[in-house]
Amino acid sequence: ADQFRSLLDALPAGTVRWRDEYVADRDELLPYPSAADVYVLPSRHEGFPVAPIEAMAGGLPLVAADAPGISDILADGEASGGIIVPMEDPVALAAALGALIDDEERRARAAAAARRRAESTYSLDVVGKQLRAFLLDGEPGQEPSAQSPR
């Protein structure tokens, strides 16, 4: 943290805002994603990548390391709303991030694709219908049959 802080101190004032603390207050966190242009996930490990999906639902394109679960949410790469880079490759991560930051049209296309992907695959309505079908009929991805109890 001290090393990172010294690098940030060398930047022009106000360039980067860094919170070196754990913040759980949602009202305090809400302004950050809405001010972002891109969501970056350099993780090595993810269970189910909820935070990236939340960012995508908010219309942020994603740049993510190829941690478990990432290729599932970005099944079609940039057409799904983001760029996947190899894990532990900071050069590739920086290049992908720079590519989206430097190209407003590309970033806008990826942002729109991210939002579509989140809504079409991970929205409460979509997941709820899949869960209901699975629980009532045992078939994920299908609507419950007419014979299913309502």
Side-chain angles (χ1 to χ4, degrees):
D2 291 337
Q3 196 174 18
F4 187 60
R5 188 176 288 109
S6 69
L7 292 170
L8 293 176
D9 288 342
L11 297 173
T15 305
V16 175
R17 185 172 184 187
W18 182 42
R19 299 274 310 256
D20 187 14
E21 62 184 316
Y22 183 79
V23 179
D25 182 342
R26 290 177 185 246
D27 290 333
E28 201 173 329
L29 292 171
L30 192 57
Y32 292 103
S34 63
D37 293 320
V38 178
Y39 185 88
V40 182
L41 185 80
S43 286
R44 293 181 187 109
H45 304 284
E46 287 295 320
F48 183 76
V50 174
I53 293 170
E54 290 172 341
M56 292 167 67
L60 289 177
L62 180 64
V63 172
D66 195 13
I70 296 301
S71 62
D72 295 322
I73 65 170
L74 294 176
D76 295 319
E78 206 164 326
S80 293
I83 300 172
I84 301 173
V85 299
M87 282 191 293
E88 300 196 33
D89 189 342
V91 173
L93 187 77
L97 182 56
L100 288 180
I101 289 172
D102 292 341
D103 187 336
E104 189 174 340
E105 287 182 25
R106 182 178 182 187
R107 187 173 67 245
R109 283 192 308 272
R115 177 72 186 237
R116 280 192 308 274
R117 174 77 172 157
E119 288 177 346
S120 69
T121 309
Y122 301 106
S123 69
L124 290 175
D125 186 51
V126 170
V127 173
K129 286 178 182 176
Q130 291 173 345
L131 183 58
R132 184 170 192 261
F134 176 76
L135 292 173
L136 297 178
D137 291 340
E139 306 246 356
Q142 295 182 358
E143 289 289 323
S145 67
Q147 293 80 27
S148 295
R150 300 267 173 200

